[in-house]
Amino acid sequence: MQIISRLDRVMADRKMSVNELSERIDISPVNISRIRTGRVKAIRFSTLMKLCDELDCQPGDLLEFTRDDTVVPQRRRRTTKKDASDEA
């Protein structure tokens, strides 16, 4: 099971950039990007409320739950030098 972020879709629908959203809700662009790409393990309700308020949406528009039997394309992970040496 996993939760998938759909923030990028909602932002695209609203034609809003990471920097613009960041300024409007007073959250760093890095944190917005992490939420957008799904690279977070948790999100505060206060952050979720700010996002929903500014983007005029519901939490379900930003997050999607999938079961293990649902195939979801995984994002490629960046390989570090350490990872490359482990593979050799």
Side-chain angles (χ1 to χ4, degrees):
M1 292 182 262
Q2 64 187 59
I3 302 289
I4 299 172
S5 174
R6 299 293 183 209
L7 178 58
D8 56 342
R9 288 185 183 174
V10 176
M11 288 174 60
D13 289 345
R14 309 296 191 276
K15 295 179 175 52
M16 191 174 296
S17 71
V18 169
N19 288 331
E20 183 180 356
L21 182 58
S22 170
E23 288 175 14
R24 288 184 179 195
I25 64 174
D26 196 30
I27 293 175
S28 75
V30 171
N31 286 335
I32 298 284
S33 291
R34 286 180 179 160
I35 295 167
R36 195 174 62 100
T37 59
R39 292 190 176 157
V40 292
K41 295 191 185 267
I43 184 170
R44 292 178 185 210
F45 278 1
S46 59
T47 302
L48 189 57
M49 289 187 324
K50 288 179 184 181
L51 289 168
C52 289
D53 185 44
E54 188 59 43
L55 296 169
D56 191 29
C57 66
Q58 293 294 312
D61 298 329
L62 300 175
L63 304 170
E64 182 180 328
F65 170 77
T66 61
R67 299 195 183 278
D68 288 337
D69 56 347
T70 304
V71 178
V72 177
Q74 297 292 319
R75 295 185 188 262
R76 288 181 27 185
R77 204 182 90 169
R78 293 183 187 165
T79 305
T80 63
K81 288 182 181 180
K82 183 177 185 258
D83 290 340
S85 66
D86 289 342
E87 292 175 5

